[in-house]
Amino acid sequence: MRLALCQCMPTVSGNTLATGVRRLSGFAKHAAGENANLLVLPEMFLSGYAIGGAFCQKLAEPLDGPAITQAAEIAREMGIALLFGFPEKDGEACYNSGVLFGATCEVLGSYRKTHLNGAGDDEQFSAGDDLSPVIGFGEWKLAMAICYDIEFPEVARALALRGAEVILVPTANMVPYHSVSERLVPARAEENTVFLAYANLVVKEV
C-alpha cells in the first residue's frame, strides 16, 4: 500500500460542500499521480472544521448525499481510495464523520467521532456511539479515529485488539498542542505496534 496524506489549509465552504469537493478532486489527482493507493485528508475536510452548529446542520449530508456521491465518483475517476471528513446528517443529529471510499466508488467503511473536544465540538456535533470498524484493504486491516479520539490510549488499544494494523486519523489539531503529534501519536503507534497516519490542517500552505 502506498499511502498519501493531505495536510492543507481549512476549506472555506460557502453555502454548500461544492468547494470541498473541488479541492478533493485536485488533491486526489495529485496523489494518484504519485501512485498512491489511498489518500487521507483532514477532519471535516469537505466543509471546514470550526464553522458553528447552525452551519454544520445546514451543510450536513447523509452518506448518500449529493456532495458525498460526487466525492465517491472522484475516487473512481482517479483510481484511488479516499478517506475524508465531513458533517454527516442522520435524522436531527449531525456527526463529525469520516468515510473511506474504495477506488471503485464503494463505501469501505465510515465512522463518527466518539470523543468530542470541548464546547466547540459539543455545539456542532453529536458523539458517535461506537469505535471504527476494522476494514480490509488489500493485504492490510485499517481502522479510523478522528482527532481527539487518538489522544485516549484505550481507543488505539481497542482498535488494535480488533485486528487493526493501520489507524487512519483525520484531524484538525491546533497550536499550541504540538505534543499531540510529536509525542502522543507516536506513542499510540508504538504501544500497539501499529502504523498510524495523522492528517492535520495547516496554517499556511507552502
Side-chain angles (χ1 to χ4, degrees):
M1 176 174 63
R2 186 173 176 85
L3 180 65
L5 302 182
C6 174
Q7 301 203 205
C8 61
M9 294 184 70
T11 296
V12 180
S13 59
N15 293 317
T16 71
L17 299 180
T19 298
V21 173
R22 286 194 297 270
R23 295 184 79 205
L24 178 64
S25 180
F27 289 131
K29 183 176 181 179
H30 181 81
E34 296 293 323
N35 297 315
N37 308 109
L38 169 59
L39 172 62
V40 181
L41 299 109
E43 181 179 12
M44 291 283 284
F45 171 82
L46 285 192
S47 62
Y49 175 60
I51 60 176
F55 205 34
C56 268
Q57 284 286 350
K58 181 177 181 179
L59 295 182
E61 290 189 2
L63 272 176
D64 59 355
I68 311 306
T69 300
Q70 291 173 33
E73 286 297 329
I74 291 169
R76 187 204 304 272
E77 179 183 352
M78 303 298 176
I80 185 171
L82 299 172
L83 169 57
F84 58 86
F86 73 103
E88 182 187 2
K89 186 174 183 64
D90 187 355
E92 297 300 313
C94 180
Y95 295 96
N96 181 335
S97 293
V99 60
L100 175 60
F101 283 103
T104 55
C105 202
E106 74 281 17
V107 175
L108 299 180
S110 64
Y111 167 68
R112 297 168 172 173
K113 185 177 182 180
T114 52
H115 295 75
L116 301 183
N117 185 12
D121 267 6
D122 289 340
E123 191 233 338
Q124 296 184 106
F125 309 116
S126 298
D129 58 8
D130 196 8
L131 298 182
S132 165
V134 174
I135 303 158
F137 186 82
E139 297 180 354
W140 293 90
K141 294 180 180 179
L142 314 180
M144 293 176 270
I146 296 176
C147 197
Y148 194 41
D149 291 329
I150 205 61
E151 298 183 34
F152 294 85
E154 297 85 357
V155 171
R157 178 57 54 88
L159 295 175
L161 289 173
R162 292 181 182 187
E165 300 166 305
V166 184
I167 302 174
L168 307 173
V169 187
T171 189
N173 202 5
M174 68 291 288
V175 175
Y177 304 111
H178 303 98
S179 65
V180 174
S181 57
E182 293 172 358
R183 295 193 302 166
L184 295 186
V185 168
R188 296 295 91 84
E190 187 167 356
E191 287 164 348
N192 297 287
T193 61
V194 298
F195 295 98
L196 200 153
Y198 189 78
N200 200 7
L201 298 171
V202 297
V203 175
K204 180 172 69 173
E205 293 178 332
V206 294

